[in-house]
Amino acid sequence: MVILGVEHLSKAFGATTVLNDVSLSVDKGEILIVVGPSGSGKTTLLRCIQCLEFPDRGSIVLDGVSFGAGDGPDRLWRPDPPRVLDAKRRRVGFVFQRFNLFANLTAIDNVTIGPRRVLGVAPTDARTRAATILDRLGLADHASKLPSQLSGGQQQRVAIARALSMDPVLMLFDEPTSALDPELVDEVLQTMRELARSGMTMIVVTHELDFAREVGDRVIFMDGGRIVEEGRPEVVFAQPKEERTRAFLRRLLRVSAATAADDHAPSPVEAGHGIPTSERRD
């Protein structure tokens, strides 16, 4: 069952084309991994799927519901009225690179604010649901803490809990571990593994190739605003067909090997090594 259909999506910022006629589909329960260098359109693709950015052309259908009509001869994007679009957008959870938590709210209040203010859930019910989600993510003992009292990994897991509290049918992850120290990465990836096992449909932009191989059902490699290659992770990573894919993976694997060779090496961001800034975000 197809849960998400993206057809002929295009997006430009000024004279720069960021997405160029991108089409893809995601089945219910599928984990789609998106990789590619800076400027390839990965983040913009996610932002367009949730309509945080409006495409210029194309169409998006989530669980049978259109987010915007691009079916005319020009395929120009025709967004829904804001109130209608907001109701549709709630069905998509988005986890950003940065945690974007409310600094003055506790973990549990960060998780309850969406259901209370957006969905109209009663405060008691919202708090009960939030406590259940935090417990599921191993954060029950941290529910009353402010973000400043949590590690980066804990903050990102609270951000995941906040997205889950809206009961989405699709979760989008935009390099959710890129802002974390290396020793905190695995706790976030473990949470995402558990979500995958639960049957959550996910699109994950990441450079964590081991995670992609283990969890991903399919991987797409983007470059220049296009999907250059796609397939099973074990095939794309081991036997890529396109030279551009091979060059990107060689560089990424060299960086990973160099980092792993030094147990005491600082993080790539601190050291100025690792995946260059230009390849960690769009």
Side-chain angles (χ1 to χ4, degrees):
M1 173 184 173
V2 175
I3 198 76
L4 174 71
V6 174
E7 295 289 341
H8 304 292
L9 215 64
S10 294
K11 174 68 177 178
F13 294 102
T16 303
T17 298
V18 182
L19 294 177
N20 191 348
D21 199 33
V22 171
S23 296
L24 61 87
S25 64
V26 181
D27 290 341
K28 183 177 178 61
E30 184 178 18
I31 313 300
L32 177 65
I33 304 293
V34 184
V35 299
S38 173
S40 61
K42 307 182 303 295
T43 293
T44 302
L45 174 62
L46 295 192
R47 292 178 65 84
C48 285
I49 288 172
Q50 206 194 26
C51 293
L52 296 175
E53 301 279 357
F54 288 146
D56 299 321
R57 291 178 173 80
S59 61
I60 298 170
V61 178
L62 178 69
D63 200 18
V65 178
S66 174
F67 270 39
D71 53 1
D74 55 7
R75 300 188 188 278
L76 288 177
W77 178 264
R78 297 173 178 82
D80 293 308
R83 185 172 297 181
V84 175
L85 182 60
D86 286 344
K88 295 177 180 179
R89 187 184 284 143
R90 296 167 197 162
R91 308 192 70 202
V92 182
F94 202 124
V95 179
F96 300 86
Q97 294 179 20
R98 297 289 175 177
F99 322 124
N100 294 338
L101 299 177
F102 292 103
N104 62 327
L105 297 181
T106 63
I108 196 167
D109 288 336
N110 265 283
V111 178
T112 61
I113 191 169
R116 288 194 299 106
R117 294 191 177 182
V118 178
L119 301 181
V121 177
T124 301
D125 293 339
R127 198 169 185 86
T128 298
R129 174 166 171 75
T132 300
I133 296 173
L134 289 172
D135 181 57
R136 174 185 172 190
L137 301 189
L139 293 166
D141 293 339
H142 304 287
S144 61
K145 293 181 180 179
L146 295 170
S148 61
Q149 298 171 307
L150 300 173
S151 70
Q154 290 165 343
Q155 289 183 61
Q156 190 63 295
R157 284 188 286 151
V158 172
I160 294 172
R162 179 180 58 188
L164 290 173
S165 72
M166 301 295 286
D167 197 22
V169 300
L170 172 67
M171 286 282 287
L172 308 177
F173 294 85
D174 184 16
E175 297 197 43
T177 62
S178 65
L180 300 177
D181 291 332
E183 63 269 20
L184 300 177
V185 167
D186 194 60
E187 66 182 76
V188 174
L189 294 181
Q190 184 57 35
T191 295
M192 294 170 65
R193 290 184 185 99
E194 292 168 0
L195 284 180
R197 285 193 289 267
S198 75
M200 175 62 70
T201 309
M202 299 158 60
I203 303 178
V204 183
V205 172
T206 185
H207 287 293
E208 299 287 343
L209 296 190
D210 288 340
F211 171 82
R213 288 189 190 95
E214 176 190 350
V215 175
D217 296 302
R218 186 161 47 101
V219 61
I220 63 175
F221 171 70
M222 294 186 66
D223 190 39
R226 293 179 178 273
I227 296 176
V228 175
E229 188 163 355
E230 68 176 294
R232 296 282 302 174
E234 62 270 21
V235 176
V236 172
F237 294 152
Q239 298 175 315
K241 297 177 181 178
E242 303 295 329
E243 175 55 34
R244 184 65 187 95
T245 312
R246 290 194 291 270
F248 174 77
L249 292 174
R250 281 197 300 266
R251 184 177 187 182
L252 194 58
L253 290 170
R254 281 200 304 269
V255 167
S256 298
T259 302
D262 186 356
D263 291 338
H264 302 290
S267 71
V269 174
E270 293 168 342
H273 303 300
I275 299 167
T277 300
S278 65
E279 291 201 8
R280 283 186 280 110
R281 56 181 66 88
D282 289 318

